[in-house]
């Protein structure tokens, strides 16, 4: 009897997992909270990746979609969705297998609590119960293998120091943009923008906002001496361009951009129709009254889904422990140089439950889609053994 696979999320990694199940003749269901595939990708559809098509299309995708884009051009998120992911979702192999507008709210072992049957065959043999939020109300489903590919983009990190919300942040939540700003409408960003963060998303936002003549950018960066993630002899021109632009902005190349290094947000308060933000800096508190707050302080996955499962999380990254240890123990700085890991590194103490894709990296920001596809290769190659052995 074929065991049923539940795939959570219809992004690039989730769709690749679905193709792997189809190739193996395994019954599967993809649960997608949005009304279309690649909802997270579409949310940053206006942004161009710094990785080319050849790093964003898996071997399985090319087999099922021979005319999938290839080469060294870097797609936008919208192009990735419309030219690759939409055609994949329309393939006969996936027809009727994706449940849209269905969010997995929680996962449990049927009849077992989190602390029961630790490491036993009894736990491994019990199916998973998925609690679903659907357009028709709550529902449940069962599965024997669960692949959590839900990503991170819908769970941004807070602004405050120490990773908790700054005072006033929750009250002013509707005034804070936590996704990459779409600057194709310059009037939307007129005035003063407080940008918080230093990663590639923040660097992209700084570059785009700095190009708007009616916008002033106050850019708060925690690191007193940021290196902007520079990679020696970078082979990805788009990534190097972001580093070069950030260094130039920090050096005063644009008089409408001020970069505050060694700064973090202490508090936010309303100021009529604007926001008054207090920054802690090396020179003491600094107040900025702004029209927009853009918080790009990173994203982490929703761990509440599996709180009733036996998942061993890294105390530093929030990622599954085995994978986190492998990543932290590697050279690690360049996303192109991530270590290749085996199935044992991807396993959790909870049998037949895998966290894959960007969510599997926790707070680490070096994930590439290519890595997610390699993870699917590992699980697809071992899932039959995993189910039979219960490990």
């Amino acid at each position: 009897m074929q065991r049923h696979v539940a795939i959570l999320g219809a992004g690039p990694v989730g769709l690749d997992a679905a193709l792997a199940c189809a190739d193996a003749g395994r019954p599967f269901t993809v649960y997608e909270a949005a009304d279309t595939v690649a909802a997270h990708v579409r949310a940053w559809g206006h942004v161009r990746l710094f990785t080319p098509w050849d790093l964003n299309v898996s071997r399985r995708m090319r087999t099922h979609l021979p005319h999938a884009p290839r080469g060294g051009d870097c797609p936008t998120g919208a192009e990735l969705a419309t030219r690759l992911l939409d055609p994949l979702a329309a393939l006969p192999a996936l027809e009727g297998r994706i449940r849209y507008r269905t969010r997995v709210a929680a996962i449990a072992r049927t009849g077992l609590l989190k602390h029961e049957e630790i490491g036993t065959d009894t736990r491994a043999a019990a199916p998973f119960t998925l609690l679903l939020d659907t357009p028709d109300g709550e529902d449940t489903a069962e599965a024997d293998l669960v692949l959590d590919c839900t990503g991170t983009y819908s769970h941004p990190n807070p602004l405050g120091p120490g990773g908790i919300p700054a005072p006033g942040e929750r009250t002013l939540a509707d005034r804070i943009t936590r996704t990459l700003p779409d600057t194709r409408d310059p009037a939307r960003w007129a005035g003063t923008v407080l940008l918080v963060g230093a990663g590639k998303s923040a660097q992209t936002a700084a570059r785009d906002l700095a190009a708007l003549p009616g916008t002033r950018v106050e850019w708060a960066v925690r690191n007193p001496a940021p290196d902007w993630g520079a990679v020696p002899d970078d082979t990805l021109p788009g990534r190097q361009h972001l580093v070069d632009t950030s260094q130039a902005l920090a050096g005063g190349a644009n008089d409408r951009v001020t970069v505050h290094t060694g700064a973090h947000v202490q508090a936010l308060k309303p100021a009529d129709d604007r926001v008054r933000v207090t920054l802690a800096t090396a020179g003491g508190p600094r107040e900025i009254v702004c029209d927009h707050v853009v918080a790009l302080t990173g994203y982490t996955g929703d761990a509440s889904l599996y709180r009733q499962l036996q998942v061993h999380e890294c105390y530093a990254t929030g990622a599954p422990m085995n994978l986190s240890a492998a990543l932290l123990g590697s050279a690690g700085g360049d996303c192109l140089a991530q270590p290749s890991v085996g199935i044992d590194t991807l396993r959790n103490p909870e049998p037949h439950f895998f966290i894959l894709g960007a969510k599997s990296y926790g707070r680490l920001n070096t994930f590439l889609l290519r890595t997610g596809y390699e993870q699917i290769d590992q699980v697809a190659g071992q899932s039959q053994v995993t189910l039979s052995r219960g490990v």
Side-chain angles (χ1 to χ4, degrees):
M1 173 180 168
Q2 292 288 338
R3 305 294 188 93
H4 195 83
V5 182
I7 301 168
L8 282 51
V13 177
L15 291 179
D16 194 54
L19 294 177
C21 289
D23 289 346
R26 300 282 301 278
F28 66 93
T29 303
V30 181
Y31 297 96
E32 171 54 52
D35 57 6
T36 181
V37 299
H40 287 175
V41 174
R42 294 178 206 275
W44 49 264
H46 55 287
V47 177
R48 189 168 299 281
L49 285 79
F50 53 70
T51 50
W53 279 113
D54 284 348
L55 290 180
N56 293 305
V57 184
S58 74
R59 170 187 55 80
R60 265 177 298 274
M61 291 174 176
R62 293 209 181 279
T63 299
H64 285 266
L65 207 65
H67 300 296
R70 64 175 66 242
D73 291 341
C74 298
T76 63
E79 290 168 342
L80 186 68
T82 58
R83 297 182 60 189
L84 177 66
L85 305 178
D86 284 343
L88 288 173
L91 290 170
L94 303 190
E95 185 177 2
R97 302 293 189 92
I98 304 176
R99 288 188 60 176
Y100 295 106
R101 299 171 62 197
T102 302
R103 180 184 301 277
V104 177
I107 313 167
R109 281 286 185 182
T110 305
L112 293 173
L113 298 177
K114 183 183 182 79
H115 65 281
E116 295 177 333
E117 297 293 342
I118 299 172
T120 69
D121 291 342
T122 299
R123 190 170 187 93
F128 293 96
T129 295
L130 280 61
L131 176 64
L132 309 175
D133 291 331
T134 80
D136 299 319
E138 290 186 327
D139 195 4
T140 59
E142 284 196 349
D144 301 285
L145 174 66
V146 176
L147 310 180
D148 183 352
C149 309
T150 52
T152 64
Y153 201 58
S154 59
H155 290 85
N157 294 328
L159 274 174
I164 63 174
E169 180 176 350
R170 291 176 295 172
T171 302
L172 294 169
D174 61 340
R175 303 287 303 275
I176 302 172
T177 298
R178 300 184 187 273
T179 55
L180 279 156
D182 186 346
T183 58
R184 291 174 295 184
D185 178 11
R188 164 73 176 82
W189 301 102
T192 299
V193 177
L194 174 67
L195 171 64
V196 185
K200 290 297 179 281
S201 293
Q203 291 175 40
T204 299
R207 177 198 64 191
D208 294 348
L209 291 167
L212 304 180
T215 300
R216 172 161 188 80
V217 180
E218 302 281 350
W219 188 3
V221 177
R222 281 200 317 127
N223 193 328
D227 65 2
W228 308 109
V231 175
D233 302 317
D234 200 342
T235 59
L236 298 175
R239 182 171 61 179
Q240 183 61 53
H241 173 70
L242 287 176
V243 172
D244 293 342
T245 301
S246 300
Q247 290 173 338
L249 292 174
N254 187 322
D255 60 8
R256 288 179 288 102
V257 178
T258 301
V259 180
H260 307 274
T261 57
H264 64 260
V265 174
Q266 276 192 323
L268 302 90
K269 294 180 179 179
D272 296 327
D273 60 346
R274 307 178 81 195
V275 178
R276 186 182 304 275
V277 181
T278 302
L279 294 182
T281 72
R286 179 187 179 114
E287 284 199 342
I288 294 174
V289 178
C290 57
D291 301 281
H292 315 276
V293 178
V294 177
L296 296 175
T297 51
Y299 304 87
T300 51
D302 181 7
S304 66
L305 290 178
Y306 47 80
R307 275 294 170 242
Q308 293 306 313
L309 300 182
Q310 296 173 358
V311 176
H312 189 193
E313 294 179 339
C314 174
Y315 50 82
T317 68
M321 179 59 84
N322 290 342
L323 178 58
S324 184
L327 295 173
L328 292 173
S330 68
D334 184 359
C335 58
L336 292 178
Q338 295 305 289
S340 180
V341 302
I343 187 68
D344 288 336
T345 304
L346 297 176
R347 283 194 177 103
N348 286 287
E350 189 68 65
H352 322 325
F353 176 75
F354 293 88
I355 302 169
L356 306 174
K359 187 173 183 177
S360 71
Y361 269 45
R363 293 179 177 273
L364 302 174
N365 61 1
T366 49
F367 175 79
L368 284 183
L369 286 181
R370 179 181 69 178
T371 303
Y373 303 149
E374 291 172 352
Q375 292 175 342
I376 298 300
D377 287 339
Q378 294 291 338
V379 175
Q382 294 292 322
S383 60
Q384 294 285 3
V385 175
T386 300
L387 282 170
S388 63
R389 287 169 50 196
V391 295

